Short mmCIF file of all heavy atoms in Angstrom, two decimals:
data_model
loop_
_atom_site.label_atom_id
_atom_site.label_comp_id
_atom_site.label_asym_id
_atom_site.label_seq_id
_atom_site.Cartn_x
_atom_site.Cartn_y
_atom_site.Cartn_z
N ILE B 334 17.69 36.19 -21.95
CA ILE B 334 19.05 35.97 -21.48
C ILE B 334 19.94 35.64 -22.67
O ILE B 334 19.71 34.67 -23.38
CB ILE B 334 19.11 34.82 -20.45
CG1 ILE B 334 18.09 35.07 -19.33
CG2 ILE B 334 20.51 34.65 -19.90
CD1 ILE B 334 17.77 33.84 -18.50
N LYS B 335 20.96 36.44 -22.89
CA LYS B 335 21.90 36.21 -23.97
C LYS B 335 23.14 35.52 -23.42
O LYS B 335 23.67 35.91 -22.38
CB LYS B 335 22.30 37.54 -24.62
CG LYS B 335 23.25 37.40 -25.80
CD LYS B 335 23.58 38.75 -26.38
CE LYS B 335 24.57 38.63 -27.54
NZ LYS B 335 24.93 39.96 -28.09
N GLY B 336 23.60 34.47 -24.11
CA GLY B 336 24.79 33.77 -23.66
C GLY B 336 24.59 32.27 -23.66
O GLY B 336 23.69 31.75 -24.33
N ASP B 337 25.41 31.56 -22.91
CA ASP B 337 25.37 30.10 -22.87
C ASP B 337 25.28 29.60 -21.44
O ASP B 337 25.75 30.26 -20.51
CB ASP B 337 26.62 29.51 -23.52
CG ASP B 337 26.72 29.83 -25.00
OD1 ASP B 337 25.73 29.59 -25.71
OD2 ASP B 337 27.78 30.33 -25.44
N ILE B 338 24.70 28.41 -21.28
CA ILE B 338 24.68 27.72 -20.00
C ILE B 338 25.74 26.61 -20.05
O ILE B 338 25.71 25.76 -20.95
CB ILE B 338 23.31 27.08 -19.72
CG1 ILE B 338 22.23 28.15 -19.64
CG2 ILE B 338 23.36 26.27 -18.42
CD1 ILE B 338 20.82 27.58 -19.52
N PHE B 339 26.68 26.64 -19.12
CA PHE B 339 27.70 25.60 -19.04
C PHE B 339 27.48 24.72 -17.82
O PHE B 339 27.19 25.23 -16.73
CB PHE B 339 29.10 26.22 -18.98
CG PHE B 339 29.60 26.75 -20.29
CD1 PHE B 339 29.33 28.06 -20.67
CD2 PHE B 339 30.31 25.94 -21.16
CE1 PHE B 339 29.78 28.55 -21.88
CE2 PHE B 339 30.77 26.42 -22.37
CZ PHE B 339 30.50 27.73 -22.74
N ASP B 340 27.59 23.43 -18.01
CA ASP B 340 27.57 22.48 -16.90
C ASP B 340 29.01 22.32 -16.44
O ASP B 340 29.84 21.76 -17.15
CB ASP B 340 26.99 21.14 -17.36
CG ASP B 340 26.81 20.15 -16.23
OD1 ASP B 340 27.66 20.13 -15.30
OD2 ASP B 340 25.84 19.37 -16.26
N LEU B 341 29.32 22.81 -15.25
CA LEU B 341 30.70 22.81 -14.78
C LEU B 341 31.20 21.40 -14.47
O LEU B 341 32.41 21.13 -14.51
CB LEU B 341 30.85 23.70 -13.55
CG LEU B 341 30.58 25.19 -13.80
CD1 LEU B 341 30.75 25.98 -12.51
CD2 LEU B 341 31.51 25.74 -14.87
N LYS B 342 30.29 20.48 -14.16
CA LYS B 342 30.71 19.11 -13.87
C LYS B 342 31.13 18.38 -15.14
O LYS B 342 32.12 17.67 -15.16
CB LYS B 342 29.57 18.35 -13.18
CG LYS B 342 29.32 18.77 -11.73
CD LYS B 342 28.27 17.87 -11.09
CE LYS B 342 28.06 18.26 -9.64
NZ LYS B 342 27.02 17.41 -8.98
N THR B 343 30.36 18.56 -16.19
CA THR B 343 30.64 17.84 -17.44
C THR B 343 31.42 18.68 -18.45
O THR B 343 31.85 18.16 -19.48
CB THR B 343 29.34 17.37 -18.09
OG1 THR B 343 28.55 18.53 -18.44
CG2 THR B 343 28.53 16.49 -17.14
N GLN B 344 31.55 19.99 -18.16
CA GLN B 344 32.20 20.94 -19.08
C GLN B 344 31.45 21.04 -20.42
O GLN B 344 32.05 21.31 -21.46
CB GLN B 344 33.66 20.53 -19.33
CG GLN B 344 34.53 20.50 -18.09
CD GLN B 344 34.65 21.89 -17.45
OE1 GLN B 344 35.03 22.86 -18.11
NE2 GLN B 344 34.33 21.98 -16.17
N GLU B 345 30.14 20.83 -20.37
CA GLU B 345 29.34 20.87 -21.59
C GLU B 345 28.61 22.21 -21.72
O GLU B 345 28.16 22.77 -20.72
CB GLU B 345 28.31 19.74 -21.60
CG GLU B 345 28.91 18.36 -21.72
CD GLU B 345 27.85 17.27 -21.65
OE1 GLU B 345 26.91 17.41 -20.83
OE2 GLU B 345 27.97 16.28 -22.38
N ASN B 346 28.51 22.68 -22.93
CA ASN B 346 27.74 23.87 -23.24
C ASN B 346 26.30 23.43 -23.52
O ASN B 346 25.99 22.96 -24.62
CB ASN B 346 28.34 24.59 -24.45
CG ASN B 346 27.63 25.90 -24.77
OD1 ASN B 346 26.45 26.07 -24.49
ND2 ASN B 346 28.35 26.82 -25.38
N ILE B 347 25.43 23.56 -22.54
CA ILE B 347 24.06 23.06 -22.66
C ILE B 347 23.30 23.77 -23.77
O ILE B 347 22.56 23.15 -24.54
CB ILE B 347 23.30 23.23 -21.33
CG1 ILE B 347 24.04 22.48 -20.19
CG2 ILE B 347 21.87 22.74 -21.45
CD1 ILE B 347 24.16 21.00 -20.41
N THR B 348 23.50 25.08 -23.88
CA THR B 348 22.80 25.85 -24.91
C THR B 348 23.17 25.35 -26.30
O THR B 348 22.31 25.16 -27.17
CB THR B 348 23.13 27.35 -24.78
OG1 THR B 348 22.94 27.76 -23.43
CG2 THR B 348 22.26 28.19 -25.69
N ASP B 349 24.46 25.13 -26.52
CA ASP B 349 24.92 24.68 -27.84
C ASP B 349 24.46 23.25 -28.12
O ASP B 349 24.13 22.92 -29.27
CB ASP B 349 26.44 24.77 -27.93
CG ASP B 349 26.94 24.53 -29.36
OD1 ASP B 349 26.47 25.24 -30.27
OD2 ASP B 349 27.76 23.62 -29.56
N ILE B 350 24.44 22.40 -27.10
CA ILE B 350 23.95 21.03 -27.29
C ILE B 350 22.51 21.05 -27.79
O ILE B 350 22.15 20.33 -28.73
CB ILE B 350 24.06 20.23 -25.98
CG1 ILE B 350 25.53 19.88 -25.69
CG2 ILE B 350 23.24 18.94 -26.05
CD1 ILE B 350 25.74 19.23 -24.34
N ILE B 351 21.69 21.89 -27.18
CA ILE B 351 20.28 21.99 -27.60
C ILE B 351 20.19 22.52 -29.02
O ILE B 351 19.45 21.99 -29.86
CB ILE B 351 19.50 22.88 -26.62
CG1 ILE B 351 19.38 22.18 -25.26
CG2 ILE B 351 18.12 23.23 -27.18
CD1 ILE B 351 18.79 23.04 -24.16
N PHE B 352 20.98 23.56 -29.34
CA PHE B 352 20.97 24.14 -30.68
C PHE B 352 21.41 23.11 -31.72
O PHE B 352 20.75 22.93 -32.75
CB PHE B 352 21.90 25.36 -30.71
CG PHE B 352 21.99 26.02 -32.06
CD1 PHE B 352 20.97 26.83 -32.53
CD2 PHE B 352 23.11 25.83 -32.86
CE1 PHE B 352 21.06 27.43 -33.78
CE2 PHE B 352 23.21 26.44 -34.10
CZ PHE B 352 22.18 27.24 -34.57
N GLN B 353 22.53 22.42 -31.46
CA GLN B 353 23.04 21.44 -32.42
C GLN B 353 22.09 20.25 -32.56
O GLN B 353 22.00 19.64 -33.63
CB GLN B 353 24.44 20.96 -32.00
CG GLN B 353 25.50 22.04 -31.94
CD GLN B 353 25.72 22.75 -33.26
OE1 GLN B 353 25.28 22.30 -34.32
NE2 GLN B 353 26.38 23.90 -33.20
N ASN B 354 21.37 19.92 -31.50
CA ASN B 354 20.41 18.83 -31.56
C ASN B 354 19.35 19.09 -32.64
O ASN B 354 18.87 18.18 -33.31
CB ASN B 354 19.74 18.63 -30.20
CG ASN B 354 18.84 17.42 -30.16
OD1 ASN B 354 19.25 16.31 -30.49
ND2 ASN B 354 17.60 17.61 -29.76
#
Side-chain angles (χ1 to χ4, degrees):
I334 307 163
K335 182 180 178 181
D337 296 308
I338 299 173
F339 284 89
D340 186 324
L341 296 180
K342 287 185 178 179
T343 63
Q344 299 297 306
E345 292 177 321
N346 184 332
I347 302 299
T348 310
D349 189 55
I350 287 173
I351 292 172
F352 179 76
Q353 299 300 345
N354 186 53

